[in-house]
Amino acid sequence: MLNWNPDKELPDLSGKVIFVTGVHRLAEHHPEKIYFTGRDETRANDLIARINGTVPSANVVFIKVDMASLDSVKTAFEQFDLTRLDILICNAGIMAVPPALTKDGYEMQFGVNYLAHALLVKLFLPLLLETAKLPDADVRVVIMTSLGYRMAPKNGVDFKNIKTTQDTGPGAPWMRYGQSKTADILLAKELAKRYPQITSTSIHPGVVKTGLVSNLTFGAKAVVYVGCFMQGIKMIESDEGCYNMLWAAAGDKTGIVNGELYEPVGILSKTKSKARANPRLPGELWEWTEKALASY
């Protein structure tokens, strides 16, 4: 049980506009509007009905998107129709999936977990910056990562092979996952460096009992469970899996180090990797990403 309660810790969010890839638990704090994305419209409508049953005044809008298609991501962005954005939460993701390519030809996990969110950051950035100029603004970008980032290749991101399936052997699914999550950490770090008026963090949710783990292959699940056992990590319940994200999105930001990685809940991560320690890599990834997304 995590010693943090969003019902008690989060402030009233009246007037705030939020865009989330994936699910959320912010409606009960009365933001002006929440946009959330996903692929399953039926499940989304069920979720909206449950939210409205608890918070009848909640203004929640679903936007259908395929995160494996940059065109779909841009179309989702174009459905946003307000003139401010206070909180962008890059939450959607996949883990240790079989080798595949996105519709744009990128390694699947890198494309979904990193590049699709990098495009949303790029598209929303002008609006985020304008919102940051408003009185009492508190603009935040929260990027979901994982301590599994340490399984990335030594150079962090294999730029030369990023448009292949990178199917290099038994451990390749986790290497590809680690690569995508390293990229997420680097995105938050460089975003904070270039735009300090926005609070940008990457967050590890903990090892959560959700479909992200239960839907893995037997071998992949074994990696998760054995890894937790060896490191003394206790898996957390699904309803607690969003706590760190909620803290980063709307909790007290006193002491937050802009651009850093946080573990549940609000704990500055002391984990390391060669790629994460490379001071040039965040800028290199940013420049590569700008070129990759130039047509958007």
Side-chain angles (χ1 to χ4, degrees):
M1 187 72 176
L2 297 176
N3 188 26
W4 192 83
N5 186 335
D7 296 332
K8 297 179 180 179
E9 301 286 348
L10 293 183
D12 182 81
L13 298 175
S14 297
K16 302 282 188 181
V17 178
I18 303 168
F19 189 99
V20 191
T21 62
V23 298
H24 59 87
R25 272 190 57 184
L26 290 166
E28 59 202 68
H29 296 274
H30 314 294
E32 180 177 331
K33 195 169 187 177
I34 297 177
Y35 298 81
F36 76 101
T37 69
R39 297 186 64 176
D40 190 327
E41 194 164 358
T42 299
R43 290 179 61 187
N45 289 334
D46 289 343
L47 176 59
I48 291 173
R50 291 200 303 273
I51 291 170
N52 289 147
T54 305
V55 188
S57 63
N59 188 359
V60 183
V61 175
F62 172 68
I63 299 177
K64 189 172 183 178
V65 66
D66 178 3
M67 297 293 281
S69 165
L70 294 176
D71 284 342
S72 179
V73 172
K74 185 179 181 183
T75 298
F77 161 77
E78 290 169 345
Q79 294 178 59
F80 184 90
D81 57 1
L82 294 184
T83 57
R84 70 179 293 159
L85 178 61
D86 299 89
I87 304 169
L88 173 61
I89 303 175
C90 300
N91 180 57
I94 54 178
M95 181 171 72
V97 298
L101 298 176
T102 67
K103 293 178 181 177
D104 306 283
Y106 293 96
E107 190 283 312
M108 181 62 76
Q109 294 187 77
F110 182 83
V112 170
N113 294 347
Y114 169 71
L115 198 56
H117 288 118
L119 177 56
L120 282 175
V121 170
K122 172 185 175 176
L123 295 172
F124 276 121
L125 187 56
L127 185 56
L128 291 166
L129 292 172
E130 285 301 310
T131 305
K133 297 177 183 177
L134 298 174
D136 300 319
D138 179 14
V139 177
R140 306 194 196 188
V141 174
V142 182
I143 301 174
M144 183 73 72
T145 185
S146 165
L147 295 188
Y149 80 87
R150 294 170 291 181
M151 293 183 282
K154 289 183 180 180
N155 58 350
V157 178
D158 185 0
F159 292 107
K160 292 182 179 179
N161 294 303
I162 207 65
K163 299 199 83 170
T164 73
T165 60
Q166 296 181 319
D167 188 15
T168 56
W174 290 109
M175 180 277 293
R176 298 191 298 267
Y177 178 70
Q179 173 179 251
S180 70
K181 292 305 179 178
T182 293
D184 287 331
I185 292 171
L186 300 177
L187 175 59
K189 192 169 191 67
E190 189 66 12
L191 187 61
K193 177 182 177 182
R194 291 174 183 252
Y195 304 100
Q197 61 269 56
I198 299 172
T199 301
S200 303
T201 53
S202 56
I203 63 108
H204 168 61
V207 183
V208 188
K209 298 176 183 178
T210 66
L212 200 62
V213 173
S214 62
N215 292 334
L216 293 172
T217 64
F218 175 80
K221 276 192 282 193
V223 170
V224 174
Y225 290 121
V226 172
C228 286
F229 176 78
M230 295 295 291
Q231 297 177 67
I233 297 172
K234 183 179 179 181
M235 294 184 71
I236 61 178
E237 298 300 325
S238 59
D239 63 336
E240 298 176 326
C242 63
Y243 281 12
N244 207 26
M245 178 193 74
L246 294 173
W247 166 81
D252 182 3
K253 69 174 186 178
T254 303
I256 285 184
V257 181
N258 204 0
E260 285 301 321
L261 166 63
Y262 284 86
E263 299 177 32
V265 170
I267 299 171
L268 186 65
S269 180
K270 297 180 180 179
T271 61
K272 299 177 181 178
S273 74
K274 183 178 179 181
R276 189 179 167 209
N278 182 345
R280 298 183 302 276
L281 191 54
E284 291 173 1
L285 177 62
W286 185 280
E287 298 298 332
W288 177 91
T289 304
E290 284 198 329
K291 293 177 181 177
L293 301 178
S295 62
Y296 294 92

